[in-house]
Amino acid sequence: MTMSRRTLMTALLGTVAAGGALALLRGMTSPADAAPAVTVWKAASCGCCGGWVDHMRNAGFPVTVHVVDDVDPVKARLGVPERLQSCHTAEVDGYVLEGHVPADSVARLLRERPAAKGLAVPGMPQGSPGMETGAKDPYQVVLFGGSAGMRVYETR
């Protein structure tokens, strides 16, 4: 079988392209490998907390869940202000997460590394991660514990 110059060049370029793509894929890490671990404290009776945990895992965060009888002592130990409290509390890479904080807000927090204690979504707003009921209420993601006190980090 005689191979034309064009066929040979096409085959060679295809091989080089496939090898380059494979090299790129080998150098990539999965989001779960790159994302820091999230530790969550929640009550056994809270179903929406499980929805938030699923949301974080789907975003690539490895999550460990501690089911406790009372989450309030955890909130107190981590310094979550009463007016920002929600149903579950978490820690990630030195920050506190209170309530239904979206995973992309957490990713932004970890990228920007502001001098703060963490992020909170006070209450349990409809439409926030874990609270998807079909309704969507506007809500705020609050940065707290920094020198500026509390401030709106994002409005959703």
Side-chain angles (χ1 to χ4, degrees):
M1 176 174 157
T2 307
M3 188 179 289
S4 72
R5 183 179 174 141
R6 172 180 245 159
T7 302
L8 178 61
M9 291 303 291
T10 301
L12 285 173
L13 287 174
T15 302
V16 169
L22 183 58
L24 282 174
L25 288 172
R26 282 186 184 144
M28 296 174 87
T29 58
S30 71
D33 292 336
V38 176
T39 303
V40 181
W41 290 269
K42 70 176 221 64
S45 60
C46 190
C48 65
C49 299
W52 184 79
V53 167
D54 291 343
H55 166 77
M56 294 300 287
R57 285 182 175 146
N58 290 338
F61 288 92
V63 181
T64 300
V65 178
H66 298 283
V67 177
V68 294
D69 292 330
D70 186 3
V71 185
D72 289 341
V74 175
K75 296 175 189 306
R77 177 177 60 81
L78 296 175
V80 179
E82 192 172 320
R83 70 185 217 164
L84 296 181
Q85 292 182 6
S86 183
C87 52
H88 58 271
T89 304
E91 285 185 294
V92 61
D93 205 23
Y95 287 102
V96 176
L97 304 174
E98 178 65 19
H100 298 269
V101 179
D104 59 342
S105 300
V106 175
R108 176 183 165 203
L109 175 79
L110 296 172
R111 251 190 341 271
E112 294 177 354
R113 308 286 311 167
K117 188 167 291 284
L119 294 177
V121 172
M124 298 167 66
Q126 297 297 305
S128 61
M131 294 294 298
E132 296 93 348
T133 61
K136 176 135 175 52
D137 295 333
Y139 65 93
Q140 296 178 329
V141 178
V142 178
L143 184 72
F144 70 95
S147 59
M150 291 180 216
R151 70 173 176 85
V152 175
Y153 193 62
E154 297 176 341
T155 299
R156 298 289 186 123

